[in-house]
Amino acid sequence: MRAAVQHRYGPPSVLASSEVGIPSPGRGDVLVQVGAAAVHPGDYFVMTGEPYVVRLVFGLRRPRHGIPGRDLAGVVAAVGKDVTALRPGDEVFGWSTAGTLAEYACVPADNLVPVPANVSVVHAAAVATSALTALQALRKIANVQPGQTVLVTGASGGVGSFAVQIAKALGAEVTGVCSTRNVELVRSLGADHVVDYTETDFTRAEQRYDVILDNVEAQPLAAVRRALTPTGTLIPNSGHGGRWIGPIGRIITARVRSGFTRQHLKPFTSVEERQDLLTLADLLATGQVTPVIDRTYPLDDAADALRHVAAGHTRGKVVITV
């Protein structure tokens, strides 16, 4: 099969289109013929091996899995002996830790759910990581309730575009922060209010929010907290932090400061949960959530797709078609 393969950490040029063997599913696995696979900043970090902390998980000297990618959608080609809920021919979406930028990928059956009939394979591929992050941040971490005010920074990006829609589905009054060129996009996602950060600094405005999902880190934590209500919740879903520890430094800072204020500072890491993936499938099926696709690339241009992601300012998701 054809796949995007890397043998060392580095920039997108380390990726090469190569022929490799088709993997064999284990007892609880599903072999998926990949139709599309989304890429996001996390894939770029794993490819480059920076911040260096990612190497503790993905391989110290070189990537443990030579094929990058995590999110996918496609058709079940074969199933392991213990798999009963899926069968060949089913259209599915979800995530895999074994690499998805390939014609086939082996995926644990619990990491997959059926694609709703009204959703294309490209749109389904865009969902898993970014939409799960938005859903868990808003519903599980912030416990957003109807009528609460929610502000989403980076509202036109991968996580942000899902977060605006999910917050609306939860009944919140939503404000999205984005650049001028994305104001109409964010408004079309259902945002009640849109702040153009090139004209207005939301941290210095009078409005206070019950929940802020900060996907950008354009402002220090102390500044963002000014826009919170006295008992509001701030979820910092970003952080640069240099080549060694990346966002971990901001996470530690947020946790320490949370102990000295009535405000809730809650950095988190999304967890792969099948029930949340099923919830997202329902939101897709009912039209409450629609993935925003920035660009699509063919598999042979996977390096260009990751360059585009690394440049920042994507509108929604970048998807590779196979």
Side-chain angles (χ1 to χ4, degrees):
M1 70 172 184
R2 195 161 43 93
V5 179
Q6 66 176 113
H7 299 292
R8 61 184 176 87
Y9 291 117
S13 59
V14 301
L15 289 180
S17 183
S18 304
E19 290 291 327
V20 299
I22 297 176
S24 298
R27 297 178 65 93
D29 294 336
V30 172
L31 179 66
V32 177
Q33 183 176 1
V34 180
V39 290
H40 54 88
D43 296 316
Y44 185 82
F45 298 150
V46 173
M47 178 188 68
T48 61
E50 293 183 11
Y52 294 136
V53 68
V54 305
R55 303 189 186 202
L56 297 177
V57 177
F58 296 99
L60 292 177
R61 295 186 176 182
R62 62 184 62 85
R64 190 170 293 112
H65 299 294
I67 300 173
R70 179 179 178 83
D71 299 352
L72 83 165
V75 176
V76 174
V79 300
K81 293 181 179 180
D82 295 340
V83 178
T84 58
L86 297 170
R87 58 186 180 181
D90 289 347
E91 198 169 49
V92 293
F93 74 101
W95 64 84
S96 172
T97 59
T100 59
L101 302 189
E103 292 182 309
Y104 291 88
C106 265
V107 187
D110 287 344
N111 292 6
L112 297 168
V113 299
V115 175
N118 61 325
V119 178
S120 72
V121 67
V122 169
H123 283 81
V127 172
T129 296
S130 294
L132 273 175
T133 299
L135 178 68
Q136 292 178 1
L138 296 170
R139 189 175 66 167
K140 295 188 176 181
I141 305 302
N143 190 28
V144 170
Q145 299 296 310
Q148 285 190 312
T149 53
V150 174
L151 180 135
V152 178
T153 70
S156 61
V159 174
S161 59
F162 282 115
V164 168
Q165 298 176 78
I166 291 170
K168 285 298 296 180
L170 294 173
E173 179 181 340
V174 182
T175 298
V177 181
C178 62
S179 64
T180 305
R181 76 183 185 103
N182 293 318
V183 166
E184 291 306 316
L185 168 63
V186 173
R187 188 172 286 122
S188 74
L189 297 175
D192 300 286
H193 315 282
V194 182
V195 175
D196 180 347
Y197 67 74
T198 67
E199 297 181 356
T200 303
D201 181 352
F202 75 89
T203 69
R204 296 186 179 279
E206 294 183 1
Q207 177 67 45
R208 297 293 179 265
Y209 301 92
D210 298 307
V211 176
I212 297 177
L213 175 57
D214 184 9
N215 297 302
V216 179
E217 198 199 3
Q219 304 273 14
L221 285 173
V224 179
R225 285 176 54 200
R226 289 200 300 261
L228 273 181
T229 61
T231 58
T233 298
L234 167 60
I235 303 173
N237 181 45
S238 61
H240 305 298
R243 300 176 66 183
W244 287 93
I245 63 174
I248 291 179
R250 197 171 196 233
I251 291 171
I252 293 172
T253 299
R255 292 198 183 280
V256 170
R257 290 184 179 177
S258 187
F260 298 93
T261 176
R262 294 171 61 205
Q263 294 173 326
H264 306 284
L265 280 62
K266 294 186 175 182
F268 85 111
T269 301
S270 60
V271 179
E272 301 164 346
E273 293 188 5
R274 177 180 173 80
Q275 187 55 52
D276 287 341
L277 202 57
L278 289 168
T279 296
L280 291 169
D282 288 340
L283 292 171
L284 292 168
T286 58
Q288 295 179 83
V289 168
T290 300
V292 175
I293 306 301
D294 180 288
R295 298 183 186 182
T296 61
Y297 292 81
L299 179 59
D300 288 342
D301 293 341
D304 290 336
L306 283 160
R307 285 190 189 95
H308 181 58
V309 169
H313 305 294
T314 58
R315 292 161 56 97
K317 297 292 294 181
V318 174
V319 177
I320 292 172
T321 56
V322 181

